Each structure stands twice: as structure tokens, then as C-alpha cells.
Amino acid sequence: MIRLIATDMDGTLLNAAHEVSNENYEAIKYAQSKGITVVIATGRAFYEANGPIEKTDLSLPYICLNGAEVRDEEFNIVHTSKLTRPLINKITGVLKKEDIYYQVYTNFGIYTEDPEKDLEIYVDIAEKAGQKADVKKIRANIQSRIDNGTLKTVDSYDEIENRPGEIILKILAFSSDLSKIDRAKSEISESQSLAVSSSSRGNIEITHSDAQKGIALEEIADQLNIPMSDVMAIGDNLNDVSMLEKAGYAVAMENGAPEVKEMADYITDSNEHSGVGNAIIHALKDYDR
């Protein structure tokens, strides 16, 4: 019997407009009415993950930054896994050697050294997903994030190191040159202290090895005294693999990566067709019997 559900956001819970569809919303509310805990599990930082959710009345725990930060329903931070200076030096050394652009995620915000590079990256991501990139809209979104403080510009990432109380939780690297991505991913993965995944073909998400969606989900299940056999996880890409492997019922999105689909117990509809909601209703169809 399903007692805990974890869902990824981008490419999963959210549609292309980065919204929670009414069908997904109603299915989550239905699950909650049955006493089932529903958790957000995302690569996003909390301050960007909460945006689409706060437009609804949903109250949910968050696994953010692939597990580097966990928050309860009241947004209290209950766990963090930071990157140490030696690990940061290893990561950035490889990325600089390959000339790969990256952003730095901390407990205070997301940092960029070049917003124009961010624009190029988001245009490339849209085009790789088969979508027509709306450059004007993407630029406006980047500026909005800068204006509201979730995206911060710095001349050098070295500035972050000396800020009291600030810790680095994740590094997100991008390149349209996939051979560079593959080489960097392979070299960084050699460190057993690092977890390396991706949310699209052209990026690398790097956190401490303790910071993985699957580990965080397992800890939440343990706190709720729920066996992993009673846990359902829904995702679309490689940063979802750790939680899909641990969950008793693994669901892949129709738009998911082939590797994710291969490991799934069930393949639901795409994120554009409320696949999360459909998966929840499918899994709980016998709940009232």
C-alpha cells in the first residue's frame, strides 16, 4: 500500500509553463486526504522550487538540490549536506580545464558570473528539448530572478567563500559540447565523496555523495516509519535514479530519459499531460476498496 509519494518537478510535476496542472493538484490533494505524505524532490533550490507550489494551497515537505537540503512543510531546514573546500576545488578544477560554465548554489541563493551565458544555456536547453526558444521571455525570466534576489551576479565565485554562514550545496554545470560534459562527468565521478547526476543531457549536477534524492527520501520514510516498499517515486531524468531505485514503486514519465523508463515499474503520461496526477490515481485506484 502506498503511504509516501515523492515527485520530481521539472519535466515531471511541472508542465512547460512551470505550473502545477489542476489534474496534478487534485491528485495530490486526493492522496493527502488518504493520509499519504507527498514530497517534492527536486534539483531546484528551495527559493525556486517553492514558486510554483505557493500558487496553490499545497503543503508539502521539500527535498531540494537533489537532497543537499531538506525542509519540512513549514519550510524549516531539517538537513543539509555541503560541499567542502577540497571537493569544490576538485569540481571547479575539472570544469575550468574543460572550459565548462557553471553556477554555484548556496543556502543564500544561486550565483552566476555571467547572466548572458545563462541565457545561451537556457536557449540551448529549450532547443535540445525540441522547443522554440523564446529569447525575450527567457531574458525577462533571468532578469526577474536577479531582481528578486534568487539569482545573484558576482565577478568571481571566490567572493562566496568569505561570506559568514554561507555554504555551497550544489554546482550546476552546462555545455552544448556534450563531449566536454561526458569527460567532466567521468572525471568528477571518480571521487566517492561526490554525487554526479543530470537533469538534462547538457548539464551536470554535482553535490556531496550524501546529498541524493534517494538517501533523503529514505530518511523521510524512516522518520515516518514507512517501509520503502510502501514508497512511490516519480521522475524523468538521471537525478531521479537514486530515489526510483529505492522506492518500492518506481514511476517514469513518458517524456523521461530511456535509462529512467527502463527501471520503472510503470510509465505514466508526459508532464504536459499531467503524468504525475495520472500516476497517483493509477496507483491508488484500489485504495477505497
Side-chain angles (χ1 to χ4, degrees):
M1 178 179 289
I2 302 298
R3 298 170 58 196
L4 173 61
I5 298 172
T7 176
D8 173 49
M9 291 191 79
D10 295 287
T12 303
L13 178 63
L14 305 181
N15 56 26
H18 300 285
E19 298 169 335
V20 179
S21 71
N22 187 61
E23 290 82 1
N24 286 347
Y25 167 80
E26 292 293 346
I28 291 172
K29 293 293 282 188
Y30 173 71
Q32 291 178 325
S33 75
K34 301 300 178 183
I36 297 169
T37 300
V38 181
V39 180
I40 295 294
T42 179
R44 291 188 180 207
F46 171 75
Y47 23 85
E48 296 204 318
N50 188 49
I53 304 301
E54 69 179 357
K55 295 175 183 177
T56 73
D57 63 352
L58 292 172
S59 178
L60 308 165
Y62 286 82
I63 295 170
C64 298
L65 301 172
N66 293 338
E69 181 181 273
V70 179
R71 299 195 183 216
D72 63 20
E73 292 91 338
E74 297 178 345
F75 307 155
N76 299 305
I77 297 173
V78 296
H79 175 76
T80 58
S81 293
K82 70 175 183 177
L83 290 167
T84 62
R85 175 48 52 187
L87 290 175
I88 293 166
N89 291 341
K90 175 177 177 57
I91 296 164
T92 57
V94 173
L95 297 178
K96 289 174 181 176
K97 180 178 69 175
E98 292 288 352
D99 191 27
I100 295 176
Y101 172 76
Y102 62 94
Q103 295 175 334
V104 174
Y105 285 61
T106 79
N107 54 327
F108 289 175
I110 303 169
Y111 291 86
T112 177
E113 292 180 337
D114 186 355
E116 283 300 309
K117 190 68 176 177
D118 288 36
L119 176 66
E120 293 175 21
I121 288 161
Y122 292 126
V123 168
D124 185 68
I125 289 171
E127 291 176 348
K128 276 188 169 58
Q131 302 168 354
K132 180 176 174 56
D134 187 331
V135 176
K136 184 177 180 180
K137 186 174 182 180
I138 293 172
R139 187 185 295 278
N141 178 259
I142 290 172
Q143 188 58 50
S144 174
R145 293 167 67 205
I146 291 172
D147 292 342
N148 67 28
T150 59
L151 181 64
K152 305 173 188 293
T153 59
V154 288
D155 293 329
S156 169
Y157 293 133
D158 294 337
E159 296 175 31
I160 301 169
E161 187 173 359
N162 299 320
R163 291 181 177 160
E166 191 154 16
I167 56 176
I168 294 176
L169 300 170
K170 172 180 155 180
I171 291 176
L172 179 60
F174 305 87
S175 179
S176 58
D177 187 333
L178 300 183
S179 62
K180 288 184 177 183
I181 288 290
D182 290 341
R183 285 196 301 270
K185 191 172 184 178
S186 176
E187 186 170 351
I188 294 170
S189 295
E190 292 174 3
S191 172
Q192 295 184 348
S193 297
L194 293 172
V196 183
S197 61
S198 60
S199 54
S200 74
R201 182 64 180 91
N203 75 27
I204 315 172
E205 299 188 344
I206 310 152
T207 57
H208 192 278
S209 57
D210 291 338
Q212 298 182 56
K213 291 184 182 183
I215 293 174
L217 180 59
E218 200 167 37
E219 290 176 352
I220 290 173
D222 185 60
Q223 291 167 5
L224 296 172
N225 292 315
I226 296 174
M228 291 305 292
S229 58
D230 291 349
V231 176
M232 171 178 169
I234 314 170
D236 74 306
N237 224 304
L238 301 183
N239 63 346
D240 300 313
V241 166
S242 64
M243 69 173 180
L244 294 173
E245 285 178 334
K246 290 181 179 293
Y249 189 56
V251 177
M253 304 298 292
E254 190 277 329
N255 53 285
E259 302 94 321
V260 175
K261 289 183 176 180
E262 286 175 8
M263 64 185 302
D265 297 301
Y266 178 71
I267 298 176
T268 188
D269 297 312
S270 72
N271 64 313
E272 285 298 288
H273 294 94
S274 302
V276 167
N278 293 337
I280 291 173
I281 297 304
H282 175 82
L284 304 184
K285 63 181 183 295
D286 297 327
Y287 211 89
D288 293 321
R289 292 184 182 179

